[in-house]
Amino acid sequence: MTGQRIPVPRLEGVTREQFMQHFYPQRKPLVLEGIDIGACTSKWTVDYLSQVGGTKEVKIHVATVEQMDFISKNFVYRTLPFDKLVQRAAEEKHKEFFISEDEKYYLRSLGEDPRKDVADIRKQFPLLEGDIKFPNFFKDEQFFSSVFRISSPGLQLWTHYDVMDNFLVQVTGKKRVTLFSPRDAQYLYLSGTKSEVLNIDNPDLVKYPLFSKARRYECTLEAGDILFIPALWFHNVISEEFGVGVNVFWKHLPSECYDKIDTYGNKDPKAASRAAQILDRALKTLAELPEEYRDFYARRMVLHIQDKAYSKNFE
């Protein structure tokens, strides 16, 4: 038994003003329909992307299973020319392959030097730039990155959160997205930014008993749909068909709050990282006490954190 299922609201023709005034402050996922994202929804066929995207080498994930797991790394990293990646991801069976003829591919595009540069498809794939319009719902200086996402049919991406707001623009194909509220983090069995629960539809509730309490916000994205994913919302994505998506990340907080060497948009804000380090030091200090006292003062610390830091403004 999994948790309560809630459909993500869908709205057509939302303007920038409506989004910023009414929906953005709610900090909840929302599917936007009917927004002009350019000719990409009809132009970005396998043949067109292969020809125009060219032979630029891209780093990809290759998996022999449908549920990719970033914690145990049940996939390998390989490199392919962009045109070959698109062709292979669109196939069910491969004549050329790395591991097996039915292996699956996942591209999350990177900057020129991933250690220093963020992904921006306008820079890495300039010939495709004219085909796509990013939703103009945030200021230019807030822009962080735009990321190509191309995946084989059936591939499922692990549940994780990002620290920046983003639009998932579904250009072609169909995706099923399941989201979980930041307030349900305690039910998701986290390892860093990722959940250990891979099979969210049929979870092992002996191993993960609390997962059944997590509320699921669900939607299906088709060509032209845009999903607003607020920062800190967990999301799990299944590609029901071969498809192309573009994530547009932007800075919801002032720039100085973010880790300067974060090129992915998933390193915790600097203040959160510092607080976690201070907590680790506090726990080491508590360890100097006998168990009975350690337990008592740890519980008092938890109550203190709840009293001082938990918000009353969110569900």
Side-chain angles (χ1 to χ4, degrees), residues 49-50 52-58 80-87 107 125 128 148 150:
L49 286 173
S50 300
V52 180
T55 57
K56 175 189 177 68
E57 295 271 307
V58 289
L80 271 179
F82 182 78
D83 57 346
K84 287 270 185 287
L85 159 75
V86 173
Q87 289 158 15
L107 167 72
F125 300 93
L128 295 172
F148 241 137
I150 297 179

Side-chain angles (χ1 to χ4, degrees), residues 217-237:
Y217 292 76
E218 299 179 330
C219 61
T220 298
L221 301 180
E222 304 203 25
D225 287 343
I226 299 171
L227 171 62
F228 168 52
I229 306 177
L232 310 182
W233 275 75
F234 297 87
H235 42 288
N236 180 290
V237 182

Side-chain angles (χ1 to χ4, degrees), residues 149-201:
R149 306 252 183 202
I150 297 179
S151 48
S152 298
L155 199 61
Q156 184 169 10
L157 195 60
W158 54 85
T159 303
H160 68 285
Y161 72 87
D162 300 294
V163 300
M164 295 186 193
D165 288 343
N166 90 78
F167 282 133
L168 171 51
V169 181
Q170 190 65 22
V171 179
T172 65
K174 191 173 171 185
K175 280 194 178 83
R176 191 199 86 179
V177 187
T178 304
L179 304 104
F180 301 94
S181 164
R183 259 62 63 192
D184 285 352
Q186 70 266 36
Y187 308 134
L188 298 180
Y189 298 86
L190 298 182
S191 176
T193 61
K194 301 162 187 76
S195 169
E196 292 179 12
V197 185
L198 287 190
N199 190 343
I200 63 170
D201 295 317

Side-chain angles (χ1 to χ4, degrees), residues 78-97:
R78 292 291 183 266
T79 305
L80 271 179
F82 182 78
D83 57 346
K84 287 270 185 287
L85 159 75
V86 173
Q87 289 158 15
R88 284 208 208 171
E91 301 169 339
E92 292 281 342
K93 292 265 190 285
H94 317 297
K95 290 194 175 66
E96 296 176 61
F97 50 84

Side-chain angles (χ1 to χ4, degrees), residues 60-258:
I60 56 170
H61 303 65
V62 183
T64 55
V65 292
E66 292 191 334
Q67 288 172 337
M68 286 171 62
D69 179 5
F70 196 82
I71 299 168
S72 72
K73 299 280 198 302
N74 63 352
F75 53 84
V76 294
Y77 291 108
R78 292 291 183 266
T79 305
L80 271 179
F82 182 78
D83 57 346
K84 287 270 185 287
L85 159 75
V86 173
Q87 289 158 15
R88 284 208 208 171
E91 301 169 339
E92 292 281 342
K93 292 265 190 285
H94 317 297
K95 290 194 175 66
E96 296 176 61
F97 50 84
F98 294 109
I99 310 166
S100 70
E101 65 174 8
D102 56 357
E103 66 192 17
K104 298 189 178 298
Y105 304 93
Y106 169 63
L107 167 72
R108 184 240 189 260
S109 64
L110 305 168
E112 298 305 324
D113 179 347
R115 288 171 309 227
K116 296 201 299 272
D117 304 320
V118 298
D120 187 350
I121 65 168
R122 297 172 295 190
K123 290 179 183 161
Q124 283 100 45
F125 300 93
L127 295 175
L128 295 172
E129 180 187 355
D131 298 340
I132 185 165
K133 297 178 189 171
F134 295 156
N136 184 25
F137 283 20
F138 53 90
K139 298 189 182 82
D140 287 347
E141 62 267 24
Q142 290 178 284
F143 173 81
F144 178 71
S145 66
S146 59
V147 179
F148 241 137
R149 306 252 183 202
I150 297 179
S151 48
S152 298
L155 199 61
Q156 184 169 10
L157 195 60
W158 54 85
T159 303
H160 68 285
Y161 72 87
D162 300 294
V163 300
M164 295 186 193
D165 288 343
N166 90 78
F167 282 133
L168 171 51
V169 181
Q170 190 65 22
V171 179
T172 65
K174 191 173 171 185
K175 280 194 178 83
R176 191 199 86 179
V177 187
T178 304
L179 304 104
F180 301 94
S181 164
R183 259 62 63 192
D184 285 352
Q186 70 266 36
Y187 308 134
L188 298 180
Y189 298 86
L190 298 182
S191 176
T193 61
K194 301 162 187 76
S195 169
E196 292 179 12
V197 185
L198 287 190
N199 190 343
I200 63 170
D201 295 317
N202 189 21
D204 180 345
L205 294 179
V206 175
K207 193 173 181 184
Y208 307 116
L210 296 176
F211 185 74
S212 62
K213 296 187 175 189
R215 294 162 294 174
R216 301 163 60 109
Y217 292 76
E218 299 179 330
C219 61
T220 298
L221 301 180
E222 304 203 25
D225 287 343
I226 299 171
L227 171 62
F228 168 52
I229 306 177
L232 310 182
W233 275 75
F234 297 87
H235 42 288
N236 180 290
V237 182
I238 298 178
S239 296
E240 297 194 334
E241 303 168 353
F242 164 75
V244 178
V246 175
N247 277 106
V248 183
F249 289 91
W250 73 93
K251 296 172 184 172
H252 167 227
L253 305 176
S255 286
E256 61 271 16
C257 296
Y258 298 102

